Amino acid sequence: MKSVSRAVRFTLRLVSMLLTAAVLVVSCTIPSRKRISEDPSAAFIDRTYQILFQKGCEGERFSFWFNNLKEGNTSAVEMIDMLMQSFEYQQKNYTDEQTIDVICRLMTEKEPSASVKENYLRYLNNGVTYRCLLSDMSGSQEFTALCERYKVNPGKITNLEGRDQNPAATVFVGEMYEEFNGAKAGAQDLNNWSAGLLSGDGVAPFLNKIVTGSGYASKAHSDEQVVDSLCRVMLGREANASEKEQYAEVLNNGVSISYVTSLIAKTPEFKSRCESLGMVPGEVILSEPRDMNYELTSFLTRLYTRFSGTRPSGEDLNSYVEGTIEDPSKVRDAITEMFSDPESQALLSSDDDFLSAVFEVFYGHEPSSEKVESYKIGLSHGITRERVLSEILKDPAFDEKMSEYGIDTHVEPVVPEKVIALTFDDGPYTPVTMRILDALEPYGAHATFFVVGNRVGNYKECVIRATNMGCEIGDHTWSHQTLTKLSADGVQSQIGDCASTVYNLTGIYPHVMRPVGGSYNTTVSNNVGMPMIIWSIDTNDWKYKDSQHVINEVLNYVKDGDIVLMHDLYESTATAVETIVPALIEAGYTLVTVSELAEYKKVQMENGKAYFSMRG
Ligand code: ZN
């Protein structure tokens, strides 16, 4: 029994000895806490753990850091970075303020100053991470001195995310994002936006991309909100009263947000702010047509707003302005289009409203009362607004006004290859005149009607329709008198009475006359006060009353510049015209009024002078 227990005791002692030896061996391979307590790196590990976790570092962890710091595998700031990423540290859920305190104590051994703290808080609050702060402070004199004292390598933070590379830019981006999107930016957006901001042509072009992007543009913003946002983002402050007023007016005049962005980007305040944040200010490159000519855009916007009660969309303005810049004469088309809009017609329900709007926008003042009166006369009898507008757009005063916006709207007309003036005497006579107008209308063709004054009252409707179609109403005396038989006074009253009748119906005085029978003498010439239009083709429609005869007379003999005589009294003439008009169009003729023929052929018509044809 005794020998057994001895054997056991021996075995136990042996085991115990072996264990002690093993412990000794192990102790030699890992540094003993006691043996290295004087090493400054150990003190660095201790203070780091104390500040981060409020406890010391023991055992294998201690050995791990000690070895890595000693062997240069890990720098001081990398160690801090790794520990701050640890689960244990993250569990503490520190506030931004506490995080700043911790980092400052770790790296500078002191509390942060108020201004440093404020600055860092702004960074963290706008999505910059604590690693940016580590990176920032790792270059400080305090940290260098501290690391020298503890005999550790200070090191650098590598692989910084975009948002941590220029915290001032990130703050800028964060504030911009929040301003434009109404929410804080996520890490991904911050990284992308910061990279975009720092790598592009500068802040202004980048900003422009954001405000013109669909995210911002898809939300409704008032002009005032846009101005407020741009000032906050670009100048870092609220807009003052004069900026609000100035920029809101610019927007109200129809240019894009880019235009206002470009204005603010040009201010010294914006430029110096960007430079102080380490960013390139840059310039906004304007690309929308409506931003190319501010005066013109303002004019078209005022016009559109006045005529529709709403502001034009950017798209509409772009197309108006683009068309106008390409071909200034097209501004007339743009204006006509705006006026023809049913909304506009409804808004300006009375003729007075319509006319005052036209003159207000075109000229900024009322035109001569005589002009207004003439337009009112026509409008009250059924002359269309389009027709009145086309008269106004032909007025040299319009070209003059447009030249103020830097566009030359005066254009030489495109002369058609072959032109011809169909003329009809002795009407109006609704049953026939209307048929002739029906024949002309599908082709946009024009003719001249030399009316007899005392008939006009009975057949107003066809005179109005002819005028609205762009046809010309000429003077064919009051009661179809042969003028060569009359005195000077007689000629004047025959012509004058017919002219007044036409004016009192359409608001437009006849510019041309035709003497009855084509007869004139010196007294007639001296007293008609208008060019006398005779003819080069006489169809004798009144004599034969045969439509085929009329068709042959015209189609067999017609030449460029001809003036054709017919009478809108006979059904046979109307029937002939129904064949003649399409045949002439087919043959390449443009059917125009006498005045248009003179314009195309560059004939300066003179009062009292007879014209048989205009071949140019
Ligand atoms: Zn006649």
Side-chain angles (χ1 to χ4, degrees):
M1 188 63 194
K2 217 173 190 182
S3 68
V4 171
S5 77
R6 193 184 270 165
V8 170
R9 214 173 292 142
F10 176 78
T11 308
L12 283 173
R13 190 176 290 166
L14 186 67
V15 168
S16 149
M17 276 172 68
L18 283 170
L19 275 171
T20 309
V23 166
L24 278 172
V25 167
V26 171
S27 300
C28 288
T29 56
I30 54 167
S32 144
R33 194 77 180 82
K34 260 181 194 160
R35 281 173 57 208
I36 54 165
S37 60
E38 294 85 30
D39 193 307
S41 319
F44 179 79
I45 296 168
D46 273 340
R47 73 178 290 280
T48 303
Y49 265 70
Q50 278 302 332
I51 295 170
L52 286 172
F53 306 112
Q54 295 78 47
K55 64 178 188 189
C57 178
E58 297 298 335
E60 284 181 23
R61 281 188 190 185
F62 175 83
S63 315
F64 172 80
W65 291 120
F66 187 79
N67 284 340
N68 277 307
L69 283 173
K70 275 309 213 191
E71 285 160 25
N73 297 333
T74 308
S75 68
V77 74
E78 280 169 338
M79 174 185 163
I80 294 170
D81 185 21
M82 282 191 248
L83 289 174
M84 286 182 76
Q85 284 178 42
S86 70
F87 181 70
E88 191 177 358
Y89 180 76
Q90 296 292 322
Q91 283 285 88
K92 293 185 176 291
N93 253 329
Y94 281 150
T95 62
D96 288 346
E97 208 160 338
Q98 288 169 319
T99 305
I100 294 165
D101 277 344
V102 164
I103 294 174
C104 284
R105 276 165 55 214
L106 276 172
M107 300 183 73
T108 66
E109 298 189 288
K110 60 181 184 193
E111 299 277 310
S113 72
S115 73
V116 165
K117 197 167 187 171
E118 191 190 358
N119 212 22
Y120 283 159
L121 269 177
R122 195 149 171 256
Y123 290 174
L124 295 178
N125 191 39
N126 282 290
V128 172
T129 77
Y130 76 92
R131 298 188 81 231
C132 172
L133 273 49
L134 293 185
S135 172
D136 193 36
M137 275 188 270
S138 68
S140 70
Q141 285 184 353
E142 286 101 331
F143 189 61
T144 313
L146 182 142
C147 290
E148 226 165 82
R149 209 148 19 84
Y150 286 111
K151 301 272 183 275
V152 288
N153 169 26
K156 268 192 281 192
I157 294 283
T158 51
N159 300 326
L160 279 175
E161 286 180 68
R163 57 179 164 157
D164 290 336
Q165 285 172 11
N166 180 340
T170 306
V171 168
F172 186 93
V173 160
E175 288 174 352
M176 174 162 71
Y177 189 98
E178 199 171 349
E179 183 71 47
F180 289 135
N181 293 294
K184 283 213 177 282
Q188 192 64 38
D189 278 334
L190 278 177
N191 284 332
N192 292 343
W193 285 34
S194 299
L197 194 63
L198 295 170
S199 68
D201 300 325
V203 178
F206 181 76
L207 194 66
N208 186 42
K209 237 187 271 173
I210 303 300
V211 295
T212 53
S214 57
Y216 183 68
S218 67
K219 296 190 194 92
H221 306 278
S222 71
D223 291 347
E224 285 73 17
Q225 288 171 325
V226 169
V227 172
D228 282 346
S229 290
L230 285 176
C231 282
R232 274 199 286 268
V233 167
M234 296 178 79
L235 305 175
R237 61 170 175 77
E238 295 295 319
N240 62 39
S242 89
E243 285 165 335
K244 275 187 192 187
E245 193 183 345
Q246 183 203 339
Y247 294 138
E249 191 193 325
V250 166
L251 282 173
N252 191 45
N253 280 334
V255 290
S256 75
I257 298 175
S258 296
Y259 191 86
V260 176
T261 309
S262 82
L263 290 182
I264 300 176
K266 282 179 193 145
T267 61
E269 188 181 350
F270 172 72
K271 289 181 182 168
S272 67
R273 180 164 184 254
C274 288
E275 278 152 15
S276 75
L277 295 174
M279 301 183 293
V280 181
E283 265 177 53
V284 175
I285 308 296
L286 297 171
S287 59
E288 289 193 61
R290 61 179 162 148
D291 295 334
M292 302 299 173
N293 181 337
Y294 177 69
E295 290 299 323
L296 177 63
T297 299
S298 310
F299 166 73
L300 291 169
T301 302
R302 279 203 304 281
L303 193 74
Y304 188 100
T305 309
R306 187 70 175 81
F307 281 89
S308 69
T310 54
R311 234 162 69 178
S313 70
E315 226 169 79
D316 281 346
L317 269 175
N318 281 338
S319 93
Y320 292 142
V321 173
E322 193 169 30
T324 302
I325 289 173
E326 252 171 41
D327 177 357
S329 69
K330 279 194 184 147
V331 74
R332 292 185 175 86
D333 300 338
I335 291 169
T336 308
E337 195 185 307
M338 288 182 204
F339 279 72
S340 322
D341 194 272
E343 256 177 61
S344 155
Q345 302 281 351
L347 185 75
L348 305 165
S349 54
S350 80
D351 293 341
D352 281 354
D353 288 346
F354 167 74
L355 286 172
S356 82
V358 171
F359 292 116
E360 182 189 313
V361 195
F362 279 20
Y363 310 114
H365 59 79
E366 289 284 306
S368 74
S369 58
E370 210 177 299
K371 254 184 188 169
V372 172
E373 205 48 46
S374 71
Y375 295 136
K376 278 189 189 166
I377 289 171
L379 288 167
S380 71
H381 292 115
I383 296 294
T384 59
R385 291 180 177 186
E386 283 76 9
R387 173 71 198 186
V388 168
L389 195 61
S390 81
E391 287 293 313
I392 294 168
L393 295 177
K394 272 190 249 165
D395 195 316
F398 176 74
D399 290 329
E400 213 173 284
K401 189 69 193 175
M402 290 302 105
S403 71
E404 286 174 23
Y405 305 121
I407 60 167
D408 179 8
T409 48
H410 176 77
V411 279
E412 286 301 313
V414 180
V415 181
E417 202 184 327
K418 294 191 283 184
V419 282
I420 180 176
L422 301 183
T423 67
F424 299 91
D425 288 7
D426 298 357
Y429 178 49
T430 298
V432 173
T433 312
M434 285 297 192
R435 280 183 65 193
I436 293 169
L437 294 175
D438 287 342
L440 295 167
E441 196 167 41
Y443 304 98
H446 296 163
T448 305
F449 295 88
F450 288 101
V451 299
V452 174
N454 65 11
R455 297 179 64 88
V456 168
N458 289 331
Y459 303 108
K460 289 176 192 165
E461 58 286 350
C462 52
V463 175
I464 294 294
R465 183 178 168 205
T467 306
N468 283 335
M469 281 172 56
C471 291
E472 184 164 20
I473 307 300
D475 190 321
H476 196 44
T477 75
W478 169 251
S479 56
H480 209 258
Q481 298 287 305
T482 303
L483 296 177
T484 48
K485 294 174 184 164
L486 301 179
S487 65
D489 281 354
V491 170
Q492 283 178 20
S493 68
Q494 274 292 319
I495 299 302
D497 288 353
C498 176
S500 323
T501 305
V502 172
Y503 175 82
N504 287 330
L505 180 64
T506 63
I508 304 167
Y509 277 110
H511 299 299
V512 291
M513 64 79 64
R514 171 167 287 157
V516 171
S519 317
Y520 58 93
N521 58 20
T522 315
T523 310
V524 174
S525 298
N526 290 342
N527 291 283
V528 285
M530 293 181 211
M532 301 190 295
I533 309 302
I534 320 298
W535 54 81
S536 54
I537 291 182
D538 186 351
T539 59
N540 280 309
D541 59 337
W542 60 276
K543 200 192 282 180
Y544 300 103
K545 298 194 182 64
D546 171 20
S547 53
Q548 193 54 50
H549 179 84
V550 176
I551 292 167
N552 293 344
E553 287 300 303
V554 176
L555 297 184
N556 291 345
Y557 300 104
V558 66
K559 290 185 299 297
D560 175 44
D562 268 333
I563 298 172
V564 180
L565 171 64
M566 288 181 273
H567 297 80
D568 52 339
L569 288 182
Y570 315 108
E571 294 289 347
S572 54
T573 299
T575 305
V577 167
E578 285 161 3
T579 300
I580 289 169
V581 169
L584 288 174
I585 299 286
E586 181 68 34
Y589 282 93
T590 301
L591 277 51
V592 299
T593 67
V594 168
S595 292
E596 287 166 344
L597 181 65
E599 194 187 341
Y600 288 140
K601 297 300 185 185
K602 296 195 169 35
V603 175
Q604 292 281 332
M605 292 193 290
E606 292 166 36
N607 294 345
K609 192 173 169 187
Y611 297 89
F612 295 80
S613 66
M614 297 191 198
R615 307 222 190 268

